[in-house]
Amino acid sequence: MLNRVGMTVAAAAVLAGVVVPAGLASETFAAGAKAGVCKSSLEGTYCGYYSGSAYTDRGDAGAKVKEIQALLIQHHGYAVGPKGVDGYFGAGTESAVKRLQRGHGLKADGIVSAKTWDRLRGEPLDR
């Protein structure tokens, strides 16, 4: 029935305010996400640019970098440079990633791999 009205189960769950099982949380978020607006789900916080966890480091560009920058700025309170969320992983973003990594007891290498993605999407530290 939901498909007849052009709505997915995930979108219907978002509209109904239903708690969605963890496997569908990122799909649910992606279905109703507005880029640049960070929201929390069962799987973590997402900012509407990218819901994956691919290896990302200095020199990379695109949606996954925008997600990292938005999480650093909006969710964790770190500055990433004067341009803010620009989608380019430069020195300011690398520095902010290193600060986040140090704060969470990770190796501060400025590389966003699986462990750093988990910390980015997780609860912010009390600083």
Side-chain angles (χ1 to χ4, degrees), residues 28-29 123:
T28 301
F29 181 83
E123 291 298 315

Side-chain angles (χ1 to χ4, degrees), residues 97-119:
V97 168
K98 287 179 178 180
R99 288 192 313 269
L100 175 110
Q101 290 170 325
R102 278 192 295 274
H104 284 280
L106 299 175
K107 179 181 176 185
D109 57 9
I111 296 169
V112 182
S113 59
K115 287 182 181 179
T116 301
W117 275 111
D118 286 345
R119 297 311 187 273

Side-chain angles (χ1 to χ4, degrees), residues 10-97:
V14 170
L15 291 174
V18 174
V19 174
V20 180
L24 292 176
S26 61
E27 293 172 28
T28 301
F29 181 83
K34 181 177 178 183
V37 178
C38 297
K39 294 183 180 180
S40 294
S41 74
L42 296 174
E43 291 181 347
T45 301
Y46 295 84
C47 299
Y49 294 106
Y50 176 76
S51 63
S53 59
Y55 178 98
T56 311
D57 66 357
R58 191 166 180 175
D60 286 344
K64 63 185 178 177
V65 176
K66 285 184 178 184
E67 183 73 14
I68 291 165
Q69 292 170 328
L71 286 165
L72 286 165
I73 295 167
Q74 295 177 37
H75 188 56
H76 292 281
Y78 292 111
V80 298
K83 293 183 181 177
V85 179
D86 65 359
Y88 179 73
F89 199 126
T93 301
E94 182 181 39
S95 176
V97 168

